[in-house]
Every structure is written in structure tokens, then in C-alpha cells.
PDB file of all heavy atoms in Angstrom:
ATOM      1  N   LEU A 218      -3.465  -7.419   2.039  1.00 80.00           N
ATOM      2  CA  LEU A 218      -2.567  -6.811   1.090  1.00 80.00           C
ATOM      3  C   LEU A 218      -1.446  -6.114   1.656  1.00 80.00           C
ATOM      4  O   LEU A 218      -0.226  -6.376   1.382  1.00 80.00           O
ATOM      5  CB  LEU A 218      -3.331  -5.903   0.103  1.00 80.00           C
ATOM      6  CG  LEU A 218      -2.487  -5.229  -0.904  1.00 80.00           C
ATOM      7  CD1 LEU A 218      -1.833  -6.270  -1.922  1.00 80.00           C
ATOM      8  CD2 LEU A 218      -3.342  -4.247  -1.739  1.00 80.00           C
ATOM      9  N   ALA A 219      -1.667  -5.270   2.620  1.00 79.00           N
ATOM     10  CA  ALA A 219      -0.683  -4.566   3.422  1.00 79.00           C
ATOM     11  C   ALA A 219       0.310  -5.504   4.086  1.00 79.00           C
ATOM     12  O   ALA A 219       1.565  -5.259   3.962  1.00 79.00           O
ATOM     13  CB  ALA A 219      -1.306  -3.596   4.471  1.00 79.00           C
ATOM     14  N   SER A 220      -0.237  -6.497   4.615  1.00 79.00           N
ATOM     15  CA  SER A 220       0.634  -7.490   5.361  1.00 79.00           C
ATOM     16  C   SER A 220       1.583  -8.252   4.214  1.00 79.00           C
ATOM     17  O   SER A 220       2.722  -8.358   4.522  1.00 79.00           O
ATOM     18  CB  SER A 220      -0.171  -8.520   6.097  1.00 79.00           C
ATOM     19  OG  SER A 220       0.650  -9.563   6.698  1.00 79.00           O
ATOM     20  N   SER A 221       0.984  -8.676   3.126  1.00 81.00           N
ATOM     21  CA  SER A 221       1.769  -9.337   2.165  1.00 81.00           C
ATOM     22  C   SER A 221       2.781  -8.505   1.519  1.00 81.00           C
ATOM     23  O   SER A 221       3.821  -8.984   1.053  1.00 81.00           O
ATOM     24  CB  SER A 221       0.760 -10.022   1.066  1.00 81.00           C
ATOM     25  OG  SER A 221       0.310  -8.890   0.292  1.00 81.00           O
ATOM     26  N   LEU A 222       2.566  -7.077   1.528  1.00 81.00           N
ATOM     27  CA  LEU A 222       3.599  -6.319   0.893  1.00 81.00           C
ATOM     28  C   LEU A 222       4.473  -5.716   1.960  1.00 81.00           C
ATOM     29  O   LEU A 222       5.394  -4.894   1.643  1.00 81.00           O
ATOM     30  CB  LEU A 222       2.846  -5.056   0.376  1.00 81.00           C
ATOM     31  CG  LEU A 222       1.963  -5.429  -0.936  1.00 81.00           C
ATOM     32  CD1 LEU A 222       1.230  -4.226  -1.376  1.00 81.00           C
ATOM     33  CD2 LEU A 222       2.887  -5.949  -2.129  1.00 81.00           C
ATOM     34  N   GLY A 223       4.454  -6.200   3.269  1.00 80.00           N
ATOM     35  CA  GLY A 223       5.354  -5.846   4.290  1.00 80.00           C
ATOM     36  C   GLY A 223       5.067  -4.442   4.853  1.00 80.00           C
ATOM     37  O   GLY A 223       5.939  -3.867   5.429  1.00 80.00           O
ATOM     38  N   ILE A 224       3.824  -3.956   4.692  1.00 77.00           N
ATOM     39  CA  ILE A 224       3.472  -2.670   5.119  1.00 77.00           C
ATOM     40  C   ILE A 224       2.951  -2.878   6.566  1.00 77.00           C
ATOM     41  O   ILE A 224       1.910  -3.468   6.831  1.00 77.00           O
ATOM     42  CB  ILE A 224       2.366  -1.965   4.299  1.00 77.00           C
ATOM     43  CG1 ILE A 224       2.883  -1.893   2.857  1.00 77.00           C
ATOM     44  CG2 ILE A 224       1.862  -0.669   4.902  1.00 77.00           C
ATOM     45  CD1 ILE A 224       1.749  -1.364   1.855  1.00 77.00           C
ATOM     46  N   GLU A 225       3.679  -2.326   7.521  1.00 72.00           N
ATOM     47  CA  GLU A 225       3.393  -2.553   8.958  1.00 72.00           C
ATOM     48  C   GLU A 225       2.852  -1.295   9.596  1.00 72.00           C
ATOM     49  O   GLU A 225       3.140  -0.215   9.174  1.00 72.00           O
ATOM     50  CB  GLU A 225       4.692  -3.097   9.708  1.00 72.00           C
ATOM     51  CG  GLU A 225       5.312  -4.294   9.112  1.00 72.00           C
ATOM     52  CD  GLU A 225       4.486  -5.558   9.251  1.00 72.00           C
ATOM     53  OE1 GLU A 225       3.603  -5.557  10.205  1.00 72.00           O
ATOM     54  OE2 GLU A 225       4.574  -6.417   8.411  1.00 72.00           O
ATOM     55  N   GLY A 226       2.190  -1.524  10.770  1.00 64.00           N
ATOM     56  CA  GLY A 226       1.814  -0.402  11.590  1.00 64.00           C
ATOM     57  C   GLY A 226       0.699   0.415  10.942  1.00 64.00           C
ATOM     58  O   GLY A 226       0.511   1.572  11.332  1.00 64.00           O
ATOM     59  N   VAL A 227      -0.086  -0.146  10.020  1.00 58.00           N
ATOM     60  CA  VAL A 227      -1.154   0.655   9.453  1.00 58.00           C
ATOM     61  C   VAL A 227      -2.340   0.608  10.333  1.00 58.00           C
ATOM     62  O   VAL A 227      -2.831  -0.473  10.718  1.00 58.00           O
ATOM     63  CB  VAL A 227      -1.516   0.109   7.982  1.00 58.00           C
ATOM     64  CG1 VAL A 227      -2.749   0.918   7.471  1.00 58.00           C
ATOM     65  CG2 VAL A 227      -0.317   0.186   7.102  1.00 58.00           C
ATOM     66  N   ALA A 228      -2.903   1.831  10.703  1.00 54.00           N
ATOM     67  CA  ALA A 228      -4.112   1.812  11.498  1.00 54.00           C
ATOM     68  C   ALA A 228      -5.409   1.593  10.658  1.00 54.00           C
ATOM     69  O   ALA A 228      -5.590   2.347   9.717  1.00 54.00           O
ATOM     70  CB  ALA A 228      -4.147   3.227  12.241  1.00 54.00           C
ATOM     71  N   PHE A 229      -6.107   0.583  10.894  1.00 55.00           N
ATOM     72  CA  PHE A 229      -7.331   0.373  10.104  1.00 55.00           C
ATOM     73  C   PHE A 229      -8.437   1.353  10.331  1.00 55.00           C
ATOM     74  O   PHE A 229      -9.271   1.420   9.517  1.00 55.00           O
ATOM     75  CB  PHE A 229      -7.723  -1.111  10.358  1.00 55.00           C
ATOM     76  CG  PHE A 229      -6.740  -2.132   9.810  1.00 55.00           C
ATOM     77  CD1 PHE A 229      -6.020  -2.929  10.765  1.00 55.00           C
ATOM     78  CD2 PHE A 229      -6.571  -2.253   8.469  1.00 55.00           C
ATOM     79  CE1 PHE A 229      -5.199  -3.822  10.317  1.00 55.00           C
ATOM     80  CE2 PHE A 229      -5.656  -3.112   8.036  1.00 55.00           C
ATOM     81  CZ  PHE A 229      -4.975  -4.018   8.885  1.00 55.00           C
ATOM     82  N   SER A 230      -8.401   2.020  11.467  1.00 55.00           N
ATOM     83  CA  SER A 230      -9.405   3.058  11.671  1.00 55.00           C
ATOM     84  C   SER A 230      -9.272   4.235  10.761  1.00 55.00           C
ATOM     85  O   SER A 230     -10.182   4.946  10.510  1.00 55.00           O
ATOM     86  CB  SER A 230      -9.441   3.461  13.049  1.00 55.00           C
ATOM     87  OG  SER A 230      -8.189   4.136  13.396  1.00 55.00           O
ATOM     88  N   ALA A 231      -8.104   4.378  10.200  1.00 62.00           N
ATOM     89  CA  ALA A 231      -7.726   5.444   9.247  1.00 62.00           C
ATOM     90  C   ALA A 231      -7.261   4.921   8.076  1.00 62.00           C
ATOM     91  O   ALA A 231      -6.172   5.193   7.592  1.00 62.00           O
ATOM     92  CB  ALA A 231      -6.779   6.427   9.906  1.00 62.00           C
ATOM     93  N   GLU A 232      -7.957   3.937   7.338  1.00 65.00           N
ATOM     94  CA  GLU A 232      -7.488   3.328   6.152  1.00 65.00           C
ATOM     95  C   GLU A 232      -7.327   4.341   5.065  1.00 65.00           C
ATOM     96  O   GLU A 232      -7.866   5.447   5.027  1.00 65.00           O
ATOM     97  CB  GLU A 232      -8.481   2.218   5.703  1.00 65.00           C
ATOM     98  CG  GLU A 232      -9.849   2.646   5.340  1.00 65.00           C
ATOM     99  CD  GLU A 232     -10.782   2.633   6.560  1.00 65.00           C
ATOM    100  OE1 GLU A 232     -10.407   2.107   7.603  1.00 65.00           O
ATOM    101  OE2 GLU A 232     -11.740   3.209   6.423  1.00 65.00           O
ATOM    102  N   PRO A 233      -6.297   4.033   4.168  1.00 68.00           N
ATOM    103  CA  PRO A 233      -5.958   5.078   3.260  1.00 68.00           C
ATOM    104  C   PRO A 233      -6.983   5.145   2.141  1.00 68.00           C
ATOM    105  O   PRO A 233      -7.835   4.323   1.991  1.00 68.00           O
ATOM    106  CB  PRO A 233      -4.628   4.399   2.615  1.00 68.00           C
ATOM    107  CG  PRO A 233      -4.778   3.035   2.804  1.00 68.00           C
ATOM    108  CD  PRO A 233      -5.503   2.868   4.053  1.00 68.00           C
ATOM    109  N   THR A 234      -6.841   6.225   1.405  1.00 75.00           N
ATOM    110  CA  THR A 234      -7.753   6.352   0.259  1.00 75.00           C
ATOM    111  C   THR A 234      -7.303   5.449  -0.836  1.00 75.00           C
ATOM    112  O   THR A 234      -6.204   4.782  -0.720  1.00 75.00           O
ATOM    113  CB  THR A 234      -7.628   7.773  -0.258  1.00 75.00           C
ATOM    114  OG1 THR A 234      -6.283   8.069  -0.756  1.00 75.00           O
ATOM    115  CG2 THR A 234      -7.952   8.880   0.694  1.00 75.00           C
ATOM    116  N   TRP A 235      -8.138   5.250  -1.911  1.00 79.00           N
ATOM    117  CA  TRP A 235      -7.682   4.377  -2.979  1.00 79.00           C
ATOM    118  C   TRP A 235      -6.353   4.818  -3.596  1.00 79.00           C
ATOM    119  O   TRP A 235      -5.591   3.969  -3.937  1.00 79.00           O
ATOM    120  CB  TRP A 235      -8.740   4.228  -3.997  1.00 79.00           C
ATOM    121  CG  TRP A 235      -9.943   3.391  -3.450  1.00 79.00           C
ATOM    122  CD1 TRP A 235     -11.194   3.835  -3.219  1.00 79.00           C
ATOM    123  CD2 TRP A 235      -9.983   2.023  -3.182  1.00 79.00           C
ATOM    124  NE1 TRP A 235     -11.968   2.818  -2.737  1.00 79.00           N
ATOM    125  CE2 TRP A 235     -11.291   1.754  -2.631  1.00 79.00           C
ATOM    126  CE3 TRP A 235      -9.052   0.993  -3.193  1.00 79.00           C
ATOM    127  CZ2 TRP A 235     -11.639   0.411  -2.295  1.00 79.00           C
ATOM    128  CZ3 TRP A 235      -9.357  -0.275  -2.801  1.00 79.00           C
ATOM    129  CH2 TRP A 235     -10.635  -0.532  -2.349  1.00 79.00           C
ATOM    130  N   ASP A 236      -6.231   6.053  -3.731  1.00 81.00           N
ATOM    131  CA  ASP A 236      -4.972   6.650  -4.337  1.00 81.00           C
ATOM    132  C   ASP A 236      -3.751   6.406  -3.477  1.00 81.00           C
ATOM    133  O   ASP A 236      -2.729   5.982  -3.927  1.00 81.00           O
ATOM    134  CB  ASP A 236      -5.146   8.167  -4.587  1.00 81.00           C
ATOM    135  CG  ASP A 236      -6.114   8.533  -5.645  1.00 81.00           C
ATOM    136  OD1 ASP A 236      -6.340   7.621  -6.455  1.00 81.00           O
ATOM    137  OD2 ASP A 236      -6.639   9.637  -5.646  1.00 81.00           O
ATOM    138  N   GLU A 237      -3.970   6.507  -2.137  1.00 80.00           N
ATOM    139  CA  GLU A 237      -2.768   6.160  -1.273  1.00 80.00           C
ATOM    140  C   GLU A 237      -2.494   4.717  -1.190  1.00 80.00           C
ATOM    141  O   GLU A 237      -1.329   4.311  -1.351  1.00 80.00           O
ATOM    142  CB  GLU A 237      -3.153   6.621   0.174  1.00 80.00           C
ATOM    143  CG  GLU A 237      -3.307   8.088   0.341  1.00 80.00           C
ATOM    144  CD  GLU A 237      -3.875   8.578   1.725  1.00 80.00           C
ATOM    145  OE1 GLU A 237      -4.662   7.825   2.257  1.00 80.00           O
ATOM    146  OE2 GLU A 237      -3.488   9.653   2.096  1.00 80.00           O
ATOM    147  N   LEU A 238      -3.442   3.815  -1.303  1.00 79.00           N
ATOM    148  CA  LEU A 238      -3.337   2.381  -1.383  1.00 79.00           C
ATOM    149  C   LEU A 238      -2.602   2.035  -2.701  1.00 79.00           C
ATOM    150  O   LEU A 238      -1.592   1.251  -2.685  1.00 79.00           O
ATOM    151  CB  LEU A 238      -4.705   1.668  -1.256  1.00 79.00           C
ATOM    152  CG  LEU A 238      -4.527   0.135  -1.266  1.00 79.00           C
ATOM    153  CD1 LEU A 238      -3.755  -0.381  -0.086  1.00 79.00           C
ATOM    154  CD2 LEU A 238      -5.990  -0.384  -1.179  1.00 79.00           C
ATOM    155  N   ARG A 239      -3.016   2.603  -3.759  1.00 82.00           N
ATOM    156  CA  ARG A 239      -2.414   2.376  -5.058  1.00 82.00           C
ATOM    157  C   ARG A 239      -0.897   2.790  -5.001  1.00 82.00           C
ATOM    158  O   ARG A 239       0.055   2.052  -5.422  1.00 82.00           O
ATOM    159  CB  ARG A 239      -3.103   3.081  -6.227  1.00 82.00           C
ATOM    160  CG  ARG A 239      -2.436   2.928  -7.581  1.00 82.00           C
ATOM    161  CD  ARG A 239      -2.913   4.017  -8.624  1.00 82.00           C
ATOM    162  NE  ARG A 239      -2.353   5.290  -8.035  1.00 82.00           N
ATOM    163  CZ  ARG A 239      -3.023   6.412  -8.134  1.00 82.00           C
ATOM    164  NH1 ARG A 239      -4.298   6.484  -8.595  1.00 82.00           N
ATOM    165  NH2 ARG A 239      -2.514   7.597  -7.688  1.00 82.00           N
ATOM    166  N   ASP A 240      -0.579   3.931  -4.416  1.00 84.00           N
ATOM    167  CA  ASP A 240       0.706   4.384  -4.329  1.00 84.00           C
ATOM    168  C   ASP A 240       1.571   3.468  -3.442  1.00 84.00           C
ATOM    169  O   ASP A 240       2.725   3.193  -3.801  1.00 84.00           O
ATOM    170  CB  ASP A 240       0.807   5.868  -3.767  1.00 84.00           C
ATOM    171  CG  ASP A 240       0.275   6.857  -4.740  1.00 84.00           C
ATOM    172  OD1 ASP A 240       0.141   6.560  -5.963  1.00 84.00           O
ATOM    173  OD2 ASP A 240      -0.016   8.036  -4.279  1.00 84.00           O
ATOM    174  N   MET A 241       1.041   2.916  -2.385  1.00 83.00           N
ATOM    175  CA  MET A 241       1.728   2.027  -1.588  1.00 83.00           C
ATOM    176  C   MET A 241       2.067   0.773  -2.303  1.00 83.00           C
ATOM    177  O   MET A 241       3.173   0.243  -2.166  1.00 83.00           O
ATOM    178  CB  MET A 241       0.992   1.640  -0.301  1.00 83.00           C
ATOM    179  CG  MET A 241       0.926   2.776   0.734  1.00 83.00           C
ATOM    180  SD  MET A 241       0.147   2.275   2.316  1.00 83.00           S
ATOM    181  CE  MET A 241      -1.473   2.637   2.095  1.00 83.00           C
ATOM    182  N   VAL A 242       1.141   0.273  -3.141  1.00 84.00           N
ATOM    183  CA  VAL A 242       1.375  -1.012  -3.872  1.00 84.00           C
ATOM    184  C   VAL A 242       2.514  -0.713  -4.914  1.00 84.00           C
ATOM    185  O   VAL A 242       3.404  -1.478  -4.964  1.00 84.00           O
ATOM    186  CB  VAL A 242       0.098  -1.396  -4.656  1.00 84.00           C
ATOM    187  CG1 VAL A 242       0.327  -2.540  -5.664  1.00 84.00           C
ATOM    188  CG2 VAL A 242      -0.980  -1.892  -3.532  1.00 84.00           C
ATOM    189  N   TYR A 243       2.290   0.394  -5.602  1.00 85.00           N
ATOM    190  CA  TYR A 243       3.440   0.766  -6.547  1.00 85.00           C
ATOM    191  C   TYR A 243       4.786   0.898  -5.928  1.00 85.00           C
ATOM    192  O   TYR A 243       5.859   0.298  -6.426  1.00 85.00           O
ATOM    193  CB  TYR A 243       3.159   2.064  -7.236  1.00 85.00           C
ATOM    194  CG  TYR A 243       2.000   1.939  -8.294  1.00 85.00           C
ATOM    195  CD1 TYR A 243       1.346   3.115  -8.605  1.00 85.00           C
ATOM    196  CD2 TYR A 243       1.721   0.762  -8.893  1.00 85.00           C
ATOM    197  CE1 TYR A 243       0.214   3.063  -9.498  1.00 85.00           C
ATOM    198  CE2 TYR A 243       0.670   0.698  -9.847  1.00 85.00           C
ATOM    199  CZ  TYR A 243      -0.060   1.841 -10.175  1.00 85.00           C
ATOM    200  OH  TYR A 243      -1.085   1.788 -11.119  1.00 85.00           O
ATOM    201  N   ASP A 244       4.847   1.531  -4.724  1.00 85.00           N
ATOM    202  CA  ASP A 244       6.184   1.629  -4.045  1.00 85.00           C
ATOM    203  C   ASP A 244       6.695   0.354  -3.550  1.00 85.00           C
ATOM    204  O   ASP A 244       7.874   0.034  -3.792  1.00 85.00           O
ATOM    205  CB  ASP A 244       5.889   2.511  -2.856  1.00 85.00           C
ATOM    206  CG  ASP A 244       5.606   3.982  -3.093  1.00 85.00           C
ATOM    207  OD1 ASP A 244       5.915   4.436  -4.262  1.00 85.00           O
ATOM    208  OD2 ASP A 244       5.172   4.816  -2.270  1.00 85.00           O
ATOM    209  N   ALA A 245       5.779  -0.582  -3.122  1.00 84.00           N
ATOM    210  CA  ALA A 245       6.222  -1.870  -2.651  1.00 84.00           C
ATOM    211  C   ALA A 245       6.845  -2.684  -3.874  1.00 84.00           C
ATOM    212  O   ALA A 245       7.849  -3.280  -3.784  1.00 84.00           O
ATOM    213  CB  ALA A 245       5.116  -2.672  -2.074  1.00 84.00           C
ATOM    214  N   ARG A 246       6.132  -2.566  -5.082  1.00 84.00           N
ATOM    215  CA  ARG A 246       6.601  -3.215  -6.368  1.00 84.00           C
ATOM    216  C   ARG A 246       7.962  -2.672  -6.720  1.00 84.00           C
ATOM    217  O   ARG A 246       8.802  -3.440  -7.144  1.00 84.00           O
ATOM    218  CB  ARG A 246       5.525  -3.188  -7.310  1.00 84.00           C
ATOM    219  CG  ARG A 246       4.355  -4.057  -7.013  1.00 84.00           C
ATOM    220  CD  ARG A 246       3.607  -4.409  -8.139  1.00 84.00           C
ATOM    221  NE  ARG A 246       2.515  -5.278  -7.712  1.00 84.00           N
ATOM    222  CZ  ARG A 246       1.549  -5.710  -8.520  1.00 84.00           C
ATOM    223  NH1 ARG A 246       1.537  -5.293  -9.814  1.00 84.00           N
ATOM    224  NH2 ARG A 246       0.543  -6.498  -8.152  1.00 84.00           N
ATOM    225  N   LEU A 247       8.168  -1.327  -6.659  1.00 85.00           N
ATOM    226  CA  LEU A 247       9.398  -0.731  -7.077  1.00 85.00           C
ATOM    227  C   LEU A 247      10.537  -1.258  -6.231  1.00 85.00           C
ATOM    228  O   LEU A 247      11.619  -1.461  -6.690  1.00 85.00           O
ATOM    229  CB  LEU A 247       9.220   0.761  -7.027  1.00 85.00           C
ATOM    230  CG  LEU A 247       8.477   1.446  -8.197  1.00 85.00           C
ATOM    231  CD1 LEU A 247       8.330   2.982  -7.903  1.00 85.00           C
ATOM    232  CD2 LEU A 247       9.169   1.260  -9.506  1.00 85.00           C
ATOM    233  N   GLU A 248      10.201  -1.402  -4.889  1.00 83.00           N
ATOM    234  CA  GLU A 248      11.258  -1.925  -3.995  1.00 83.00           C
ATOM    235  C   GLU A 248      11.693  -3.359  -4.335  1.00 83.00           C
ATOM    236  O   GLU A 248      12.857  -3.704  -4.232  1.00 83.00           O
ATOM    237  CB  GLU A 248      10.696  -1.799  -2.474  1.00 83.00           C
ATOM    238  CG  GLU A 248      10.757  -0.393  -1.954  1.00 83.00           C
ATOM    239  CD  GLU A 248      10.227  -0.456  -0.519  1.00 83.00           C
ATOM    240  OE1 GLU A 248      10.162  -1.419   0.148  1.00 83.00           O
ATOM    241  OE2 GLU A 248       9.904   0.666  -0.086  1.00 83.00           O
ATOM    242  N   GLU A 249      10.621  -4.166  -4.741  1.00 81.00           N
ATOM    243  CA  GLU A 249      10.895  -5.548  -5.152  1.00 81.00           C
ATOM    244  C   GLU A 249      11.734  -5.596  -6.306  1.00 81.00           C
ATOM    245  O   GLU A 249      12.554  -6.464  -6.404  1.00 81.00           O
ATOM    246  CB  GLU A 249       9.567  -6.270  -5.476  1.00 81.00           C
ATOM    247  CG  GLU A 249       8.773  -6.571  -4.282  1.00 81.00           C
ATOM    248  CD  GLU A 249       7.446  -7.197  -4.601  1.00 81.00           C
ATOM    249  OE1 GLU A 249       7.194  -7.453  -5.790  1.00 81.00           O
ATOM    250  OE2 GLU A 249       6.637  -7.426  -3.695  1.00 81.00           O
ATOM    251  N   LEU A 250      11.629  -4.655  -7.256  1.00 81.00           N
ATOM    252  CA  LEU A 250      12.360  -4.666  -8.514  1.00 81.00           C
ATOM    253  C   LEU A 250      13.850  -4.189  -8.343  1.00 81.00           C
ATOM    254  O   LEU A 250      14.720  -4.443  -9.208  1.00 81.00           O
ATOM    255  CB  LEU A 250      11.734  -3.742  -9.633  1.00 81.00           C
ATOM    256  CG  LEU A 250      10.315  -4.301 -10.051  1.00 81.00           C
ATOM    257  CD1 LEU A 250       9.638  -3.292 -10.953  1.00 81.00           C
ATOM    258  CD2 LEU A 250      10.479  -5.621 -10.796  1.00 81.00           C
TER     259      LEU A 250
END
């Protein structure tokens, strides 16, 4: 998902919380719009 949204350089050893992931998805969609 991070790759498909163009989110680069994310360390998988420190994956985000669900809230942070949701915010990243929303931010990516806002950028698309």
C-alpha cells in the first residue's frame, strides 16, 4: 500500500499505528485530488 501510494523510505521495523497509516492514506488521496 505504501509503495502504491508513493510513500518511500518507510522503515518496516517501526511500522505506523493504524491511525498513522489511515492519515497517510488520506494525505495521499488528498494529493491525488
Side-chain angles (χ1 to χ4, degrees):
L218 176 62
S220 177
S221 72
L222 294 173
I224 302 171
E225 302 296 330
V227 176
F229 293 110
S230 61
E232 59 274 346
T234 65
W235 288 112
D236 290 338
E237 292 169 334
L238 183 58
R239 180 198 62 222
D240 291 345
M241 284 189 272
V242 169
Y243 288 155
D244 291 342
R246 289 204 178 167
L247 284 173
E248 286 178 18
E249 288 175 4
L250 295 173

